[in-house]
Amino acid sequence: MTAPASPPTKRDWSWRSRHVRGLLYQLIALGLIGLAVWFLAHNTLQNMRVRGIQSGFDFLSSPAGFDIGERMVPYESNDPYWMAFLIGILNTLRVALVGIVLTTILGTLLGIGRFSHNALVRGLCYAYVELFRNVPILLQLLMWYLVLIDGLPSPGQQVSVFGVFYLSNGGLSYPVPVWGLGQGLAAAGALVGVVLAWLWARRARLHFEQTGQPRPVLLPAVGLVIGCALGGWLAGGAPTAWSIPAPGGFSMEGGSSLTPEFIAVLLGLTLYTASYVAEVVRAGIASVPRGQAEAASALGLSKGQQMRLVSLPQALRVIIPPMTNQFLNLTKNSSLAVAIGYPDVVSISNTAINQTGRAVECISIIMLVYLTTSLCTSVLMNWYNKRSAIKER
Amino acid sequence: MPKKPLTRLALAAVCATGMLATLPAHAGKTLDAIKARGQLVCGVNEGLAGFSAADSQGKWAGLDVDVCKAIAAAILGDANKVKWVPLNAQQRFTALQSGEIDILSRNTTWTLTRDASLGLNFTGVTYYDGQGFMVPAKLNLKSAKQLKGATVCVQSGTTTEKNLTDFSRANNLNVKPVVFEKQEASTGAYFSGRCVAFTTDASGLASIRNKEAKNPAEHVILPDLISKEPLGPAVRRGDDEFFAIAKWVQFALIEAEDYGVTQANVDTMMKSDNPAVGRILGSTEDTGKLLGLDKNWAANAIKAVGNYGEMFERNVGPKSPLGLPRGLNNLWSNGGLMYAPPVR
């Protein structure tokens, strides 16, 4: 296709030209918006000054002075406020990332389940979606939290599984390996294994495209990853030290643990968002014409292969854009975690606002954090969308 | 530079609009505003029995509530002319700063940061409190210092989080706070056993144990008080007249107890020979004029809620459901801290 020959353009800078008027309107609109923003900001600052309310971001470097119950990096109460905010942001990202992965898996399975030939599976998936997407997320979070703290035994009478996992309303404690050279090498080995597995999968695909002979992919890939990790572990002296949790005092000692707050937020967000993802996936699959599946069937592909090789790749193009929305929703809904005591960025900001009185500053930090994570997710998903879009050759 | 008159006019108009919009209400107008609308707008706790709580008929009662009632009676002559605005811990300062309420009477701790940087003035102390811990009685704990490694439920937006952290550091306890946005959520988590202890001001603990625990005897309040929590009302900065009124109504209530003026005897005390009583009640000297109030401002306040001692007994004292001892909140002459400058 060739571009239509454009008529010779000569910029007409007179008032009557549509081009100039359009530009003018846009400038006026932009100016008005700018003025409104300036007016609001100026007014706020002026009023705060007159009323003797101190403002500014300088508080970020002064000591926070409060503890945070759940943290992924070391933090002391005399660390500065920005460290406290960082802990909050990491807690938000932690629940959002794990939530997105689990939601995608669960939602995809549920969406595919809606096409099952088994009426029970189909019905269950349908019931799930209708149940979970029609109850407000805040209620679901509160419900899971109540179930966890009221339904589970108190830390004195925790349920023990094999004597290494402990479950109580203080959380889930589990053993972790004591980090050493062996574990480091094992992790490095696993990484090498992933790269090798990827190379193997690429070769297998090229081989298939050239000869039409399929090569096994899944088993060798898993084998490569496990083998390399095992090799690294052996090379590091095969350490077997584990830190196993044991009941002590008021809480579990040793091992690592998930708090009921984290579990409740994760469970609530995942189960809720998965119902939407299931609908997105179902719509995507339904958008692939029947003829595609019939053609695949005529070529002798099995049911699973039809789904995996023919229907899903085409459905992906329809699925990805609304999926981005769901990921963004999950991340933003995580701000409701404050209701059940999970120390996310909103919870930390609430405390900071109360201690410093810098409400405007703290709220803008929250907004900036959610805006940044949302934009990053969008950029990533747009890139993936472009990749899986129809390639016009 | 000569300018066209029209341009100059336009410029002036723009400037004037800007001034109007950017300047806040003129200082000293709170009293006029209250008189004009015939109502005092008072920010209170959403529900803390003994301090501020609404009953089934929507009538508010409590120590913090009585402070507002007394001020309304002093200004408007009627203790019922109050609009109650229930606020949570995070909303309270913004509500006062933005002018949504005239006075914040919501068990708020007076601290330097709040006094100096939030654009408000604390008008005095209505209850001397300290932060304590509530734990299940079956744990047989004797001191808060035994809470090593324990999870502690806290409500966010309070001074409590910081005190807990300081106490934990000083005693090397490594307690793990679980912070909730709402008080119901934090007490709910404690009563379900998520936390070993619940911490807030000792008066609040007594109120919560009495009102929310299924069986109050199953919970004990540990004797340790880990902080000073002087609770008092606050007003917006920049209105010295209203600041003075709020301050002196509280002082008058304490003075009344000092001189034995009660809700019941206020009318007969009008004829008292004691010149100090005459000044308080306005029967001899008009102290109200200096504050911009009626002559019998303090008499009206005392008629509405009684003197400070009566307020305490009725709402939180040993005979009330909370059963708190008078302790630090006794008059200075009885070994407490309640002392008012003279109404003179």
Side-chain angles (χ1 to χ4, degrees):
Chain A
M1 190 172 115
T2 53
S6 52
T9 50
K10 189 169 159 276
R11 281 273 152 86
D12 179 9
W13 288 105
S14 86
W15 285 107
R16 286 196 201 102
S17 123
R18 201 154 98 204
H19 170 79
V20 168
R21 266 183 294 154
L23 203 71
L24 200 71
Y25 291 148
Q26 286 187 32
L27 276 178
I28 291 174
L30 205 70
L32 282 178
I33 293 170
L35 208 68
V37 169
W38 174 83
F39 177 73
L40 284 176
H42 174 81
N43 212 355
T44 308
L45 285 176
Q46 174 83 8
N47 280 340
M48 282 166 70
R49 203 162 36 238
V50 168
R51 290 179 189 161
I53 303 167
Q54 294 178 6
S55 61
F57 284 95
D58 50 322
F59 75 96
L60 282 175
S61 54
S62 56
F66 60 93
D67 257 329
I68 302 172
E70 205 166 347
R71 52 200 183 224
M72 294 204 296
V73 293
Y75 165 83
E76 288 276 337
S77 58
N78 52 0
D79 280 333
Y81 271 105
W82 65 263
M83 269 294 286
F85 273 101
L86 187 71
I87 304 282
I89 294 169
L90 286 177
N91 279 340
T92 294
L93 291 181
R94 174 173 168 224
V95 79
L97 282 180
V98 179
I100 283 175
V101 171
L102 293 181
T103 297
T104 313
I105 296 171
L106 181 64
T108 310
L109 290 179
L110 284 167
I112 295 175
R114 294 289 299 269
F115 291 95
S116 170
H117 289 283
N118 184 330
L120 186 65
V121 173
R122 214 164 51 226
L124 279 178
C125 291
Y126 176 68
Y128 176 94
V129 169
E130 290 307 326
L131 180 68
F132 278 92
R133 78 171 175 177
N134 288 321
V135 178
I137 173 72
L138 181 60
L139 281 181
Q140 292 194 30
L141 288 181
L142 290 172
M143 183 202 72
W144 287 119
Y145 190 55
L146 276 182
V147 165
L148 285 175
I149 64 170
D150 275 337
L152 291 174
S154 53
Q157 297 100 40
Q158 59 274 78
V159 192
S160 147
V161 185
F162 309 126
V164 289
F165 292 96
Y166 289 92
L167 188 64
S168 72
N169 68 2
L172 171 71
S173 298
Y174 52 90
V176 284
V178 179
W179 193 255
L181 179 67
Q183 278 79 16
L185 286 177
L191 213 67
V192 172
V194 168
V195 174
L196 288 179
W198 179 73
L199 288 174
W200 171 261
R202 226 172 83 120
R203 279 201 50 172
R205 202 184 64 230
L206 285 177
H207 179 79
F208 175 72
E209 278 171 6
Q210 277 163 11
T211 65
Q213 297 296 315
R215 273 184 183 172
V217 173
L218 195 66
L219 272 181
V222 171
L224 273 171
V225 174
I226 293 180
C228 289
L230 208 65
W233 180 65
L234 286 173
T240 52
W242 284 75
S243 168
I244 295 168
F250 289 117
S251 53
M252 303 298 291
E253 276 162 16
S256 192
S257 65
L258 298 176
T259 62
E261 289 81 30
F262 176 77
I263 301 174
V265 174
L266 187 65
L267 214 60
L269 288 177
T270 304
L271 296 182
Y272 174 76
T273 319
S275 64
Y276 284 90
V277 169
E279 284 298 275
V280 168
V281 169
R282 186 177 71 95
I285 295 174
S287 75
V288 178
R290 263 181 77 84
Q292 294 285 324
E294 286 166 359
S297 173
L299 286 173
L301 297 186
S302 74
K303 268 257 165 262
Q305 282 176 323
Q306 273 176 39
M307 188 54 91
R308 202 159 47 81
L309 299 174
V310 179
S311 294
L312 268 186
Q314 298 186 67
L316 264 188
R317 292 166 196 147
V318 181
I319 290 174
I320 290 169
M323 197 77 132
T324 313
N325 278 340
Q326 296 312 325
F327 291 170
L328 296 181
N329 278 346
L330 188 145
T331 312
K332 287 181 288 184
N333 282 341
S334 74
S335 63
L336 294 171
V338 65
I340 56 171
Y342 180 68
D344 72 334
V345 65
V346 177
S347 166
I348 302 294
S349 298
N350 277 348
T351 303
I353 288 176
N354 198 263
Q355 293 194 352
T356 62
R358 310 283 167 93
V360 177
E361 291 82 353
C362 289
I363 299 285
S364 30
I365 289 177
I366 301 182
M367 281 164 57
L368 201 70
V369 166
Y370 282 108
L371 190 69
T372 313
T373 44
S374 293
L375 287 179
C376 287
T377 314
S378 292
V379 166
L380 219 80
M381 290 301 283
N382 285 344
W383 168 79
Y384 186 56
N385 189 29
K386 269 213 188 86
R387 235 190 71 139
S388 59
I390 297 176
K391 303 211 173 38
E392 287 182 19
R393 298 198 174 96
Chain B
M1 191 170 84
K3 268 189 183 151
K4 283 181 198 159
L6 199 65
T7 325
R8 225 179 306 166
L9 192 70
L11 210 68
V14 168
C15 287
T17 332
M19 296 267 283
L20 275 180
T22 48
L23 276 180
H26 181 260
K29 292 289 182 204
T30 313
L31 181 61
D32 293 345
I34 293 168
K35 280 182 174 162
R37 78 171 98 89
Q39 219 178 22
L40 174 77
V41 185
C42 175
V44 289
N45 197 309
E46 293 162 303
L48 184 65
F51 287 85
S52 62
D55 64 12
S56 52
Q57 274 102 50
K59 284 185 83 141
W60 288 84
L63 192 69
D64 288 341
V65 164
D66 280 351
V67 172
C68 281
K69 280 186 175 172
I71 294 171
I75 296 175
L76 302 165
D78 184 349
N80 293 319
K81 289 187 172 166
V82 185
K83 185 182 164 199
W84 305 104
V85 180
L87 298 166
N88 72 24
Q90 285 132 30
Q91 297 164 333
R92 54 181 164 181
F93 299 121
T94 320
L96 185 62
Q97 289 162 348
S98 64
E100 196 190 324
I101 55 176
D102 297 320
I103 183 165
L104 176 74
S105 182
R106 190 203 171 282
N107 55 309
T108 302
T109 307
W110 186 354
T111 66
L112 183 144
T113 314
R114 287 174 175 176
D115 206 351
S117 73
L118 295 184
L120 42 86
N121 277 327
F122 283 87
T123 61
V125 178
T126 50
Y127 189 95
Y128 288 96
D129 210 342
Q131 184 176 338
F133 292 90
M134 175 159 64
V135 293
K138 63 171 193 277
L139 291 181
N140 265 326
L141 294 178
K142 292 281 166 280
S143 157
K145 291 183 181 148
Q146 292 174 283
L147 290 168
K148 215 173 176 76
T151 46
V152 178
C153 286
V154 198
Q155 188 202 354
S156 84
T158 58
T159 45
T160 334
E161 284 170 88
K162 211 165 184 163
N163 294 332
L164 176 65
T165 302
D166 289 351
F167 180 70
S168 166
R169 275 180 76 83
N171 295 288
N172 213 359
L173 294 182
N174 193 22
V175 301
K176 296 182 201 73
V178 187
V179 182
F180 295 87
E181 194 182 18
K182 289 204 184 297
Q183 184 166 298
E184 303 91 80
S186 52
T187 51
Y190 164 73
F191 286 122
S192 346
R194 164 67 182 108
C195 300
V196 176
F198 175 75
T199 183
T200 188
D201 298 345
S203 61
L205 290 177
S207 167
I208 288 160
R209 181 173 73 155
N210 178 61
K211 206 183 77 182
E212 292 178 35
K214 278 192 203 94
N215 180 6
E218 283 174 4
H219 302 273
V220 292
I221 294 168
L222 296 176
D224 322 53
L225 291 184
I226 65 169
S227 68
K228 289 188 287 185
E229 305 288 333
L231 310 180
V235 296
R236 238 183 332 280
R237 208 185 266 196
D239 187 342
D240 290 350
E241 289 159 32
F242 186 61
F243 179 38
I245 291 170
K247 203 161 43 180
W248 281 97
V249 169
Q250 287 168 59
F251 288 151
L253 295 174
I254 296 169
E255 283 270 279
E257 189 184 5
D258 231 351
Y259 290 103
V261 183
T262 64
Q263 196 169 12
N265 73 6
V266 58
D267 282 325
T268 47
M269 285 299 255
M270 291 274 195
K271 300 177 201 91
S272 165
D273 294 332
N274 188 338
V277 174
R279 277 194 289 268
I280 297 170
L281 298 181
S283 53
T284 50
E285 265 176 56
D286 186 356
T287 46
K289 204 162 116 191
L290 306 173
L291 291 169
L293 300 175
D294 289 343
K295 199 166 115 175
N296 45 2
W297 61 281
N300 285 339
I302 298 162
K303 255 184 226 169
V305 297
N307 62 38
Y308 178 77
E310 290 177 287
M311 274 163 61
F312 191 97
E313 292 303 323
R314 184 172 58 240
N315 294 307
V316 297
K319 293 199 193 91
S320 74
L322 289 194
L324 291 167
R326 189 81 192 261
L328 288 177
N329 296 295
N330 221 322
L331 286 183
W332 59 285
S333 45
N334 295 335
L337 292 174
M338 283 298 165
Y339 180 98
V343 178
R344 188 191 305 147

